[in-house]
Amino acid sequence: MNGRRERAQGTEWAGDPAGCGTMERMPSALPDGEPVPADGALPASALAGAADRPLGFYLHVPYCATRCGYCDFNTYTATELRGTGGVLASRDNYADTLVDEVRLARKVLGDDPREVRTVFVGGGTPTLLAAGDLVRMLGAIRDEFGLAPDAEITTEANPESVDPAYLATLRAGGFNRISFGMQSAKQHVLKILDRTHTPGRPEACVAEARAAGFDHVNLDLIYGTPGESDDDWRASLDAALGAGPDHVSAYALIVEEGTQLARRIRRGEVPMTDDDVHADRYLIAEEALSAAGYDWYEVSNWATSDAGRCLHNELYWRGADWWGAGPGAHSHVGGVRWWNVKHPGAYAGALAAGKSPGAGREILTDEDRRVERILLELRLREGVPLSLLREAGLAASRRALSEGLLQEGPYEAGSAVLTLRGRLLADAVVRDLVD
């Protein structure tokens, strides 16, 4: 049975469905959890040993000019916000509100000595805000915590919402990495996704970002859109590689219930992409990217060097600490995970009242953290230590090795590392290893 058919029979391997360069996505429903204290206080156990863990910040900007047909994230257009949040939900004063949460983070973390290692501004469309607003949000982190000398500072950007002057302002303000949502080079594919940029604009943005002095540039691609052909996907890869970013993310499109695209598929207006097609597209991506000098370091991410890897996402994948500021944003510090209220008006209202915007939290057990390490680290090029596996998981790892899903050399050295075929079946492999 080949890998494509096994994928079609129900195993999952796609990465972040957003294709927006970060794992910090805000889906439509928040999880259940215990209440967050009004002052946001964390248990002492969460801060124990904090100095030995890297700290990052995710800043969520929940605004979009239009809603893409596949989008199920916590984002809002002007029409969706009209009459629901008043002045508190305005883009004009959003930076001030987010700065208030950064200051709250400083109070909650107390005398935590860590400088911030990574900052990632995501959305939504962060570049709908003025460049000066993004710089001011970053400045609040610098003022309250300090930035590590080699800190990675990223923002996502819509290709149509930036120009050379905007990029120059970001770079002068401390941003050194930028992630452009390209998705596809083909107009008919962009139309299905309801993307508003024109083909060729993301590639031009890469050149503009380089000219502005950005050290690292990512292009996000999505494959498996209804109506996309293998040749369309190859054309998108060729266009992305021709632009010369040092990082490429390629994600399979996941059709979420409740989205416009899901409704169109249900009505029979566009076809659902076959699972075997998804697997073929992944193999096409791996072939093209590796031939161009890009190495995979996570199942859906490739970089030209270790320096080009997204350090912020690696905080998530390795279970480090991060504070997520903004409506619906999730945070994790020392085994405590919490999430903010979703609506920008409610978020701003809580902070204006001097309260935490947290909607709920959970305290992870040692077993929770062990399982999450396996789930996330298996997706990385370095793999997951076999020492984390229990007896049933070790037995499953031996089977995966014999089936060609894990690499022999790393296994003998004590780590489970996926082969290319294993990457196609990553979620199936990991489900066996966590037993």
Side-chain angles (χ1 to χ4, degrees):
M1 190 183 297
N2 64 40
R4 290 183 297 164
R5 178 55 56 192
E6 289 170 297
R7 167 65 177 86
Q9 290 186 341
T11 57
E12 298 293 340
W13 54 272
D16 174 3
C20 294
T22 180
M23 284 182 61
E24 183 63 40
R25 298 290 100 198
M26 265 61 67
S28 57
L30 292 175
D32 296 325
E34 66 180 42
V36 174
D39 62 359
L42 292 169
S45 61
L47 301 177
D52 298 325
R53 303 188 299 265
L55 174 65
F57 263 82
Y58 173 77
L59 309 181
H60 185 59
V61 178
Y63 305 108
C64 284
T66 60
R67 179 171 292 278
C68 297
Y70 61 93
C71 179
D72 187 40
F73 311 134
N74 191 42
T75 60
Y76 303 84
T77 66
T79 300
E80 290 168 337
L81 283 175
R82 189 171 295 126
T84 65
V87 68
L88 291 178
S90 170
R91 281 182 2 205
D92 296 336
N93 57 14
Y94 182 74
D96 293 331
T97 303
L98 193 134
V99 166
D100 286 342
E101 188 177 359
V102 172
R103 291 171 178 159
L104 172 67
R106 177 72 280 176
K107 293 178 182 177
V108 170
L109 295 179
D111 59 0
D112 187 326
R114 291 175 290 179
E115 294 181 318
V116 172
R117 181 69 184 85
T118 68
V119 178
F120 196 108
V121 186
T125 306
T127 46
L128 283 181
L129 299 185
D133 284 350
L134 300 188
V135 171
R136 186 150 51 91
M137 289 153 54
L138 174 61
I141 296 173
R142 182 186 293 110
D143 293 344
E144 297 293 337
F145 290 87
L147 296 172
D150 59 348
E152 175 191 270
I153 314 296
T154 306
T155 187
E156 292 177 347
N158 185 306
E160 301 291 354
S161 62
V162 298
D163 58 26
Y166 191 106
L167 295 170
T169 299
L170 290 181
R171 185 66 190 95
F175 286 83
N176 53 30
R177 185 175 184 275
I178 192 161
S179 178
F180 294 109
M182 178 177 176
Q183 322 313 356
S184 176
K186 307 301 288 186
Q187 183 64 60
H188 71 96
V189 176
L190 294 172
K191 184 176 181 180
I192 291 290
L193 295 172
D194 291 321
R195 295 291 296 182
T196 57
H197 67 262
T198 55
R201 178 60 193 151
E203 299 94 293
C205 285
V206 175
E208 292 173 4
R210 295 294 193 198
F214 276 86
D215 301 327
H216 302 293
V217 181
N218 173 61
L219 286 177
D220 281 325
L221 297 172
I222 289 179
Y223 57 89
T225 300
E228 177 191 64
S229 68
D230 285 354
D231 286 344
D232 290 335
W233 177 231
R234 289 190 180 95
S236 294
L237 289 164
D238 288 345
L241 294 173
D246 63 337
H247 189 285
V248 172
S249 299
Y251 298 100
L253 177 67
I254 295 179
V255 180
E256 302 287 356
E257 283 301 318
T259 62
Q260 177 63 23
L261 182 57
R263 289 189 287 271
R264 294 187 67 191
I265 291 173
R266 189 166 55 249
R267 292 193 298 262
E269 296 175 10
V270 294
M272 184 67 182
T273 303
D274 183 86
D275 287 338
D276 282 357
V277 171
H278 277 183
D280 283 338
R281 300 279 162 78
Y282 186 86
L283 294 173
I284 290 170
E286 168 61 22
E287 180 180 11
L289 289 162
S290 62
Y294 293 74
D295 292 324
W296 79 283
Y297 70 97
E298 191 274 340
V299 168
S300 299
N301 291 273
W302 291 258
T304 57
S305 67
D306 285 348
R309 294 166 65 151
C310 181
L311 299 180
H312 185 81
N313 275 356
E314 291 194 277
L315 293 187
Y316 301 145
W317 293 323
R318 298 188 184 281
D321 290 352
W322 70 90
W323 189 292
H330 289 230
S331 303
H332 171 266
V333 174
V336 179
R337 182 161 50 222
W338 70 95
W339 44 92
N340 287 343
V341 294
K342 288 177 52 182
H343 196 278
Y347 168 77
L351 288 166
K355 298 179 180 179
S356 166
R361 77 179 187 184
E362 59 181 338
I363 298 176
L364 304 176
T365 66
D366 289 344
E367 176 63 6
D368 291 334
R369 300 180 78 177
R370 182 191 77 89
V371 169
E372 289 193 1
R373 280 195 65 186
I374 298 170
L375 288 171
L376 295 172
E377 291 182 26
L378 184 67
R379 298 178 63 86
L380 297 173
R381 184 178 68 192
E382 293 79 10
V384 62
L386 293 174
S387 59
L388 286 179
L389 306 184
R390 293 185 171 165
E391 183 175 348
L394 283 170
S397 74
R398 290 190 288 271
R399 290 194 301 272
L401 180 68
S402 68
E403 294 168 1
L405 303 176
L406 297 178
Q407 297 180 31
E408 292 185 4
Y411 194 89
E412 293 173 358
S415 295
V417 176
L418 295 169
T419 62
L420 175 57
R421 182 166 174 266
R423 281 148 62 189
L424 290 174
L425 301 167
D427 283 4
V429 176
V430 80
R431 279 198 297 268
D432 291 336
L433 298 193
V434 297
D435 288 342

